């Protein structure tokens, strides 16, 4: 095939990787410079593999080393790369449509980009262990914040042979995932795989979940071959080792591309207030009926949220999880936002003053009553 006309041939050669007219328009200025478009398949130690109109190439990323760790080259990125040379270099990245990010466990409070330009975030939860609904909510918050459409896959469904018991587990997850499809899947029996294959055939999907959740097994099943190494989970707790050590973008035989990721032990929020609101949409709806617009849903009069807890229509666990994620997100954002830090400090001082005033009033009232005896 000749590549003398990069604009038309590139769109054809890269179409299986998600190239479309919008990406072509974004890339036009770089095409005029003679650069090649490419999609990042894998990043490893300052280099990356890219799918380009000339096949898979290896390129250095040293020209794209921003101060912001969320802007480094990532699996799923679209890039402009040198057409020739040894080594080749990634010259720039095209603006991302979506980005899945989390906070790192470091004390520097940095964000970490996990996957870029993703359409579907497939949160994989193993049924080999007890469901952790709080962890599901955390993944969902990050997924919604990324701009991708979440899907919860309950893997290893064959380990729950009782259909009624399996339906209850699905319902439990559906209660914490409003607006999200929950799909029980088994790579062993094939249950749910036809539905999952149809979802991932449309665009770019990323597999997310803890070690041992069965992501690599699912990836191999969807690919139709053993591309990803799989290790058995421990019988004692169902946890697995990090089978996948890098994020890999893979073409699916039925269309679409799949990004497999290492198991995530920590899933810290990163500026995900909108995502948290989406996960707890029923609480956000209730809050609209609170008497005070800045209600904290704790002890304020006229709180519609606490009223829902009291009448049993809102589970206590759900409200506690909502509060926890909002507090965590606020702490993360405050570490990088001086204005927000000042507002939080001001709010703490105000609440402290109100508490002291209430205590003094209580003491004063008690003293007056005593002096009149």
């Amino acid at each position: 095939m000749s590549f003398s006309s990069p604009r038309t041939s590139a769109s054809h050669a890269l179409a299986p990787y998600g190239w479309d007219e919008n990406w072509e328009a974004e890339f036009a200025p770089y095409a005029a410079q003679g650069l090649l478009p490419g999609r990042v398949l894998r990043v490893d130690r300052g280099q990356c593999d890219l799918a380009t109109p000339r096949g898979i190439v290896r390129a250095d990323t040293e020209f794209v080393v921003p101060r912001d760790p969320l802007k480094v080259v990532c699996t799923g990125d679209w890039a402009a790369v040198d057409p020739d040379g040894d080594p080749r270099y990634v010259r720039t990245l095209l603006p991302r449509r979506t980005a899945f990010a989390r906070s790192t466990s470091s004390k520097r409070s940095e964000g970490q980009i996990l996957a870029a330009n993703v359409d579907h975030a497939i949160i994989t939860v193993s049924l080999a262990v007890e469901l952790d609904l709080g962890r599901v909510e955390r993944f969902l918050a990050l997924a919604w914040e990324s701009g991708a459409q979440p899907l919860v896959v309950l893997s290893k469904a064959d380990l729950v042979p009782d259909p009624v018991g399996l339906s209850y587990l699905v319902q439990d997850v559906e209660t914490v995932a409003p607006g999200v499809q929950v799909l029980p899947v088994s790579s062993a029996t094939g249950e749910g795989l036809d539905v999952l294959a149809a979802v991932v055939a449309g665009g770019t999907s990323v597999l997310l979940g803890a070690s041992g959740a069965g992501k690599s097994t699912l990836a191999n099943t969807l690919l139709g071959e053993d591309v990803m190494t799989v290790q058995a989970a421990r019988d004692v707790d169902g946890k697995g080792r990090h089978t996948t050590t890098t994020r890999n973008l893979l073409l699916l035989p039925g269309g679409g591309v799949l990004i497999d990721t290492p198991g995530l032990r920590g899933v810290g929020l990163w500026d995900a207030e909108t995502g948290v609101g989406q996960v707890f949409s029923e609480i956000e709806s209730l809050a609209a009926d609170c008497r005070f617009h800045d209600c904290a849903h704790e002890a304020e009069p006229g709180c519609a949220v606490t009223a829902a807890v009291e009448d049993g229509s809102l589970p206590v666990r759900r409200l506690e999880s909502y509060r926890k994620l909002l507090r965590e997100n606020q702490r993360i954002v405050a570490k990088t936002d001086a204005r927000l830090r000042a507002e939080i400090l001001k709010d703490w001082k105000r609440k402290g003053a109100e508490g002291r005033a209430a205590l003094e009033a209580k003491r004063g009232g008690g003293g007056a009553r005593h002096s009149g005896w």
Side-chain angles (χ1 to χ4, degrees):
M1 180 183 290
S2 170
F3 293 98
S4 58
S5 177
R7 181 178 176 83
T8 56
S9 61
S11 64
H12 175 74
L14 293 176
Y17 291 93
W19 187 261
D20 58 28
E21 292 180 355
N22 291 326
W23 287 124
E24 193 169 290
E26 289 278 2
F27 189 76
Y30 307 107
Q33 299 172 31
L35 297 174
L36 278 179
R39 189 154 200 199
V40 179
L41 308 178
R42 181 175 179 269
V43 181
D44 182 28
R45 298 177 182 178
Q47 292 187 312
C48 65
D49 296 327
L50 302 101
T52 77
R54 298 183 183 179
I56 307 300
V57 304
R58 185 81 166 162
D60 284 349
T61 63
E62 65 179 69
F63 283 96
V64 189
V65 185
R67 292 183 178 181
D68 186 349
L70 292 175
K71 296 180 180 179
V72 300
V73 178
C74 176
T75 301
D77 272 323
W78 286 98
V81 64
D82 289 333
D84 300 295
D86 186 17
R88 283 185 166 101
Y89 291 96
V90 172
R91 294 296 174 175
T92 191
L93 299 178
L94 300 188
R96 292 165 177 158
R97 293 179 182 174
T98 63
F100 193 96
R102 66 164 179 175
S103 65
T104 64
S105 56
S106 69
K107 295 181 179 179
R108 291 179 293 180
S109 301
E110 292 181 341
Q112 178 189 23
I113 182 74
L114 298 179
N117 301 310
V118 170
D119 301 296
H120 307 287
I122 302 173
I123 300 162
T124 311
V125 181
S126 173
L127 291 179
V129 295
E130 185 177 353
L131 283 177
D132 184 344
L133 297 179
R135 189 177 183 86
V136 173
E137 290 165 339
R138 184 177 291 272
F139 268 112
L140 285 169
L142 292 179
W144 281 122
E145 192 69 33
S146 76
Q149 171 66 45
L151 166 68
V152 179
V153 165
L154 302 181
S155 66
K156 308 180 184 181
D158 54 289
L159 299 181
V160 188
D162 176 22
V164 176
L166 181 59
S167 68
Y168 286 149
L169 291 173
V170 172
Q171 289 174 19
D172 286 344
V173 178
E174 286 176 340
T175 60
V176 304
V180 176
Q181 183 178 9
V182 179
L183 180 66
V185 166
S186 170
S187 297
T189 66
E191 178 182 359
L193 289 177
D194 55 340
V195 178
L196 181 58
V199 171
V200 299
T204 298
S205 303
V206 61
L207 284 172
L208 302 159
S211 298
K215 298 186 304 301
S216 293
T217 300
L218 273 180
N220 286 337
T221 303
L222 292 168
L223 290 162
E225 55 182 319
D226 291 340
V227 175
M228 310 306 298
T229 304
V230 177
Q231 294 177 343
R234 297 191 302 245
D235 290 337
V236 64
D237 56 9
K239 294 182 179 179
R241 301 172 186 173
H242 287 294
T243 301
T244 304
T245 56
T246 58
R247 290 175 282 278
N248 303 279
L249 187 148
L250 307 158
L251 279 180
L252 293 169
V257 294
L258 183 70
I259 300 176
D260 192 20
T261 63
L264 300 174
R265 288 195 178 93
V267 195
L269 299 185
W270 182 261
D271 196 5
E273 183 177 354
T274 300
V276 172
Q278 189 80 23
V279 177
F280 298 91
S281 57
E282 80 278 30
I283 296 180
E284 299 267 299
S285 296
L286 286 168
D289 294 327
C290 289
R291 182 182 302 176
F292 304 108
H293 70 87
D294 59 347
C295 182
H297 318 308
E298 292 176 351
E300 297 88 344
C303 175
V305 174
T306 54
V309 171
E310 291 171 0
D311 68 24
S313 59
L314 177 66
V316 175
R317 190 210 67 80
R318 193 83 168 129
L319 178 57
E320 290 176 345
S321 183
Y322 174 70
R323 289 170 174 163
K324 178 181 179 181
L325 292 182
L326 281 183
R327 286 195 300 266
E328 177 184 327
N329 190 71
Q330 189 178 52
R331 286 197 300 270
I332 289 294
V333 175
K335 288 181 179 180
T336 57
D337 188 330
R339 180 186 60 80
L340 181 59
R341 285 200 302 273
E343 288 179 358
I344 292 174
L345 181 60
K346 182 179 179 180
D347 188 51
W348 283 348
K349 289 181 177 179
R350 177 183 63 79
K351 289 182 177 179
E354 289 175 353
R356 288 192 296 272
L359 182 61
E360 288 299 323
K362 184 177 181 180
R363 286 175 175 173
R369 285 193 301 269
H370 180 71
S371 62
W373 288 348

